[in-house]
Amino acid sequence: DAGVTQSPTHLIKTRGQQVTLRCSPISGHKSVSWYQQVLGQGPQFIFQYYEKEERGRGNFPDRFSARQFPNYSSELNVNALLLGDSALYLCASSLGTLYEQFFGPGTRLTVL
Amino acid sequence: ILNVEQSPQSLHVQEGDSTNFTCSFPSSNFYALHWYRWETAKSPEALFVMTLNGDEKKKGRISATLNTKEGYSYLYIKGSQPEDSATYLCAFYGTSYGKLTFGQGTILTVHP
């Protein structure tokens, strides 16, 4: 079975631009979570979706938004990019909101 | 703001040594404690999901214990091997908020 997939692998943007990151969960998983990881820190929670509804939101500005589609895939959007948004963005899927999470390989975003 | 602390921040051991590290988390509103192993250039991999006070789990040479009343978990690696080199992350799942809060990780390097 395919694991969690994310696209693109790497992305370079400039300040002020907008970016969309994509995630496909493991088949059968209905929950998708997004995390931001910067060097030297653990992943920071951004969003969790379950059955297309937002179930949790971390301490991130409104420039960050996400959605989950009927096939349970998900997109993370970041508007008005700042240099500080440069990070590894991880997606994780799970059977439900309180279950073990399976992580994708991440998208490395660089903002210049 | 939830505080999940891991110690030590990094650890260097020789092949064959046994080692352990600590995760501290809030003792209130506990639902689960996750341990993940994150090897360079790979996705974080779930090791254990622990839910019960006094829980002990084992996978090969790796084991973990949980004390929810005092808010800590230990991860033990017996007879460390170079392939155990990775960042070990713990993550707290509370009952009041649907998200995983990660510690900053312990970076383990096992020297041949």
Side-chain angles (χ1 to χ4, degrees), chain B residues 59-102:
Chain B
K59 183 185 288 189
R61 294 179 291 99
I62 303 177
S63 60
T65 61
L66 179 68
N67 183 322
T68 60
K69 294 185 177 179
E70 296 182 37
Y72 65 83
S73 176
Y74 294 136
L75 189 79
Y76 300 92
I77 302 178
K78 184 178 178 182
S80 302
Q81 300 296 309
E83 57 265 32
D84 295 330
S85 297
T87 298
Y88 290 83
L89 293 162
C90 69
F92 169 84
Y93 222 141
T95 56
S96 59
Y97 194 67
K99 69 170 186 175
L100 273 178
T101 300
F102 281 85

Side-chain angles (χ1 to χ4, degrees), chain B residues 3-52:
Chain B
N3 282 324
V4 180
E5 301 287 338
Q6 291 187 247
S7 62
Q9 191 171 0
S10 64
L11 196 54
H12 291 257
V13 301
Q14 291 297 126
E15 183 175 356
D17 287 350
S18 293
T19 187
N20 67 86
F21 19 95
T22 306
C23 173
S24 301
F25 52 85
S27 55
S28 58
N29 299 316
F30 176 87
Y31 183 83
L33 194 283
H34 294 216
W35 281 100
Y36 290 86
R37 175 171 57 200
W38 196 357
E39 296 178 67
T40 303
K42 294 187 178 180
S43 308
E45 172 199 359
L47 290 172
F48 305 112
V49 178
M50 309 181 78
T51 56
L52 298 175

Side-chain angles (χ1 to χ4, degrees), chain A residues 13-14 30-32 43 59 73-74 86 91 93 100 106 108 110:
Chain A
K13 292 284 188 177
T14 57
K30 298 181 178 181
S31 179
V32 170
N59 189 25
S73 67
S74 178
S86 296
C91 170
S93 76
E100 171 188 10
R108 174 72 62 185
T110 302

Side-chain angles (χ1 to χ4, degrees), chain A residues 1 19 23 29 38 54 90 96 110:
Chain A
D1 284 339
V19 68
C23 172
H29 284 191
V38 298
E54 182 182 304
L90 292 164
T110 302

Side-chain angles (χ1 to χ4, degrees), chain A residues 57-100:
Chain A
R57 184 185 180 114
N59 189 25
F60 281 81
D62 291 344
R63 299 185 295 108
F64 288 75
S65 63
R67 55 180 175 168
Q68 187 177 32
F69 298 99
N71 66 354
Y72 303 111
S73 67
S74 178
E75 287 182 352
L76 175 70
N77 295 287
V78 187
N79 293 323
L81 285 166
L82 303 174
L83 295 178
D85 295 331
S86 296
L88 180 69
Y89 288 85
L90 292 164
C91 170
S93 76
S94 60
L95 289 169
T97 56
L98 296 177
Y99 287 80
E100 171 188 10

